[in-house]
Amino acid sequence: MPFCEVRNNGIKLFYRTYGRGPVKVVLIIGLAGTHESWGPQIRGLTGTDAPNDGDSAAVEGGPDNESGGDGSGIEVCAFDNRGMGRSSVPTKKSSYTTKIMAKDAIAIMDHLGWKEAHVFGHSMGAMIACKLAAMVPNRILSLAVLNVTGGGYECFPKLDRKTVSIAFRFLRAKTPEQRAAVDLDTHYSTEYLDEYVGSNTRRAILYQEYVKAISASGMQSPCGFDGQVNACWRHKMTPREIEMIRSTGFLVSVIHGRHDVIAQIYYARRLAKKLHPFARMVDLHGGHLVSHERTEEVNQALLELIDATEKKVSPEDWTNLPTKRPGWIRSKFTIISNTGGTSDVSITYRMLERLHLILLFFFSVFVLAFEYGRKAIRSLKPVRVGAPLT
């Protein structure tokens, strides 16, 4: 089995490579996901889902073999993040940050002998990919972030009836069947799940697949889950890191599902604007796992990114975002000046953002209190009273 051992800390990362060719792609999956979650993209990019295990060209430092006579093939690497799948599961939360996990990805690139690669990440994996791009920008050919947020409070979903229901069901899920049911509502849009494929709905078909997959890989360990959640919560891209990505000049695709109940598309759009003019925003009709729900569109967007990089397309021709212009622009709440660099955000807008943050905080406290209270009530045992002595 292919493992990469991270130097100095004993962490072993399980990875697999697929396809052949000089174009290298690193795929970084999100929270509680394994490398197999990239299946639709692996097939779309390489034309196969058969791993290169045991192939001499896939070992450490192996040569860049070409696929076919024109040398236009793609080789991808997908791996299990620490805390999930067949990779090591550190017990301390401090062992999980997006920066540490970005170093894991660098270790795998070094292990494979890849000096440069296109880096694609989903959800938490997109946060890791951003950190990676800021840490070693000279090794990044292009960057694609799918269903990404900026970490911290941005990880909280939009408050509505559906997300509250999902939160409670997620906390109560103890079996593969319970986890599969809540994962479907988390990953896909309602319209997609309700579509019929033959005589069954997608929900019924995917439910069986999810139960089988979760039963085979096992539920994520508490240490792994808590650690990866900690990584998401502590993640933040500083202005300096954003500028490091922009100054290097590689192209970026920000891909998002409009009906994502976990990562709000607002934050993805804001990241794309920060990376202007190097970023292209691709919003699709889908949920959090838009890479599965809209596979063809996502794969096309990724291939277009690789092709544009190979052809050295200019950022101005790549971006689909409006050009920033100096002067006064009208915001939703007030008039904002963007001359001279940083914008002066209105007091009203700041107050609304803080109010939203406060509501999210109290919601999370309420959910945690409910869960602990439920456990405490279950732990109480009725006192058995004996018959009175006469």
Side-chain angles (χ1 to χ4, degrees), residues 36-88:
E36 295 172 330
S37 300
W38 283 111
Q41 281 60 59
I42 291 171
R43 289 188 292 273
L45 295 173
T46 69
T48 181
D49 54 10
N52 297 332
D53 296 3
D55 194 321
S56 60
V59 299
E60 180 176 355
D64 292 347
N65 284 1
E66 296 183 353
S67 176
D70 60 356
S72 59
I74 297 175
E75 182 176 5
V76 307
C77 174
F79 63 96
D80 296 344
N81 286 311
R82 59 171 65 201
M84 187 57 192
R86 283 176 260 189
S87 292
S88 299

Side-chain angles (χ1 to χ4, degrees), residues 195-218:
E195 288 178 2
Y196 273 85
V197 180
S199 59
N200 294 316
T201 62
R202 290 189 188 275
R203 184 186 295 275
I205 297 171
L206 289 171
Y207 174 77
Q208 297 299 328
E209 293 178 1
Y210 268 54
V211 171
K212 182 179 179 180
I214 295 172
S215 300
S217 61

Side-chain angles (χ1 to χ4, degrees), residues 242-353:
I242 293 292
E243 186 55 35
M244 183 66 72
I245 294 175
R246 292 182 74 258
S247 63
T248 308
F250 51 78
L251 303 180
V252 181
S253 275
V254 180
I255 305 171
H256 213 95
R258 300 186 197 111
H259 305 289
D260 190 337
V261 298
I262 297 179
Q264 297 186 58
I265 194 171
Y266 165 79
Y267 297 115
R269 287 176 175 149
R270 187 163 71 174
L271 175 63
K273 290 176 182 177
K274 289 179 180 179
L275 295 174
H276 183 274
F278 304 96
R280 171 183 288 186
M281 185 71 205
V282 181
D283 60 284
L284 302 171
H285 184 87
H288 187 64
L289 205 57
V290 72
S291 54
H292 285 224
E293 186 169 343
R294 292 291 178 259
T295 297
E296 289 186 9
E297 294 96 322
V298 170
N299 289 350
Q300 180 181 351
L302 297 178
L303 288 169
E304 286 177 355
L305 177 60
I306 293 174
D307 184 61
T309 301
E310 296 292 311
K311 294 179 178 178
K312 302 185 185 303
V313 172
S314 69
E316 291 73 19
D317 291 332
W318 171 252
T319 188
N320 60 355
L321 299 173
T323 303
K324 293 183 179 180
R325 295 180 181 179
W328 291 89
I329 59 175
R330 183 170 296 277
S331 75
K332 189 173 182 180
F333 302 104
T334 187
I335 297 178
I336 302 173
S337 172
N338 68 350
T339 54
T342 307
S343 299
D344 298 322
V345 183
S346 69
I347 296 176
T348 305
Y349 185 76
R350 286 185 183 274
M351 289 177 62
L352 288 174
E353 275 206 332

Side-chain angles (χ1 to χ4, degrees), residues 109 116-119 132-133 136-143 248 250:
M109 290 177 66
E116 296 178 318
H118 301 270
V119 177
L132 175 62
V136 288
N138 58 313
R139 300 184 65 174
I140 309 301
L141 294 174
S142 72
L143 176 67
T248 308
F250 51 78

